Amino acid sequence: HKELGHAAIYLGMKNSGHTFNDVVAKYGSLDSALLDSFLVKHESGLSILCSSEMYIQGTKHFDAKSVQRAVDFLKEQYDYIIFDGHPASPDSDAVAGNAGKVYMVVSAEVASLRDLNRYIDHFGKDPAKFHVVVTNEGKSAVTASHVSSTCGLPVVARFSQVDEAVASATNAGRTISRDVKNFHEPLSDILSEIDPTAVVETPKKSLFGWRK
């Protein structure tokens, strides 16, 4: 991912200094103990593989087979794996190809909708796999209905008027309060769409992977 270790900052945690690239590169010697040393653990039970905190030019990218082997290993360790990456990243094709579901996050504005359609042209339009999440609804004339009808994919969740709550939480390094219904209700929609049993009192074992 292009962000420099933001996941750790947002959750008030120290970056481990290891990224998904380390998982791919170390695949031959990778086991549960080594993977565990790459991760940071959040009190919620989430394990996080952060992006680098340093800007590095010429970051190495791996072939699709290498990425697939690393993802297959992670699948053996976790019930759910979330990759947060930019669609234009060279590794995104391999990650998307191995994903059970792909969620494309788009802001409710004309420029973002144009970009979304271009990414869909590249990745494909399988409604069983590819879904859209709309943010910033209500800030312009573009609505979730416009997004869905234009791109031809289902909108599984829409977020509106959450900027202040998100900024407050991320700047403080904490999760967003459960009292913010207009954030957690659409989030629950996404989790329920992934797996109807996902929204439970005891969270399943999950890995959040943040790409360079």
Side-chain angles (χ1 to χ4, degrees):
H1 196 280
K2 62 181 179 178
E3 308 297 353
L4 304 180
H6 286 190
I9 294 174
Y10 291 157
L11 294 173
M13 305 173 70
K14 183 178 180 180
N15 196 318
S16 69
H18 293 283
T19 73
F20 180 69
N21 280 4
D22 293 310
V23 175
V24 180
K26 300 288 187 181
Y27 175 78
S29 58
L30 194 62
D31 58 19
S32 298
L34 181 58
L35 174 63
D36 196 61
S37 70
F38 292 168
L39 305 172
V40 291
K41 306 294 181 67
H42 189 258
E43 61 184 11
S44 65
L46 196 67
S47 298
I48 305 169
L49 190 59
C50 301
S51 62
S52 174
E53 292 184 333
M54 304 296 294
Y55 175 71
I56 303 173
Q57 289 185 314
T59 299
K60 182 177 180 180
H61 296 285
F62 297 90
D63 60 87
K65 185 176 181 180
S66 297
V67 173
Q68 180 178 349
R69 290 188 307 183
V71 172
D72 287 343
F73 174 80
L74 294 175
K75 286 180 178 179
E76 295 174 357
Q77 309 297 313
Y78 290 90
D79 296 303
Y80 299 101
I81 306 169
I82 302 171
F83 284 89
D84 181 14
H86 195 280
S89 168
D91 295 334
S92 290
D93 283 347
V95 172
N98 285 279
K101 293 182 182 292
V102 176
Y103 293 86
M104 298 184 178
V105 182
V106 57
S107 179
E109 54 187 79
V110 173
S112 293
L113 183 54
R114 181 207 62 176
D115 292 347
L116 172 66
N117 283 313
R118 291 180 177 178
Y119 293 135
I120 289 172
D121 288 341
H122 174 74
F123 287 106
K125 192 182 289 187
D126 177 2
K129 180 172 183 174
F130 291 92
H131 307 281
V132 177
V133 175
V134 176
T135 64
N136 297 320
E137 189 176 34
K139 286 193 170 183
S140 74
V142 177
T143 66
S145 296
H146 290 141
V147 172
S148 182
S149 61
T150 302
C151 73
L153 288 175
V155 171
V156 297
R158 59 187 72 180
F159 293 84
S160 61
Q161 300 177 338
V162 296
D163 286 3
E164 183 176 346
V166 171
S168 176
T170 54
N171 287 337
R174 55 176 172 76
T175 55
I176 296 172
S177 170
R178 287 284 181 181
D179 295 333
V180 185
K181 300 296 185 183
N182 55 338
F183 177 85
H184 284 284
E185 287 178 358
L187 178 61
S188 293
D189 290 340
I190 298 172
L191 296 177
S192 296
E193 199 278 333
I194 295 173
D195 180 351
T197 67
V199 185
V200 293
E201 289 298 323
T202 304
K204 293 188 175 182
K205 192 177 182 184
S206 303
L207 171 68
F208 182 83
W210 196 281
R211 291 290 291 115
K212 284 190 176 182

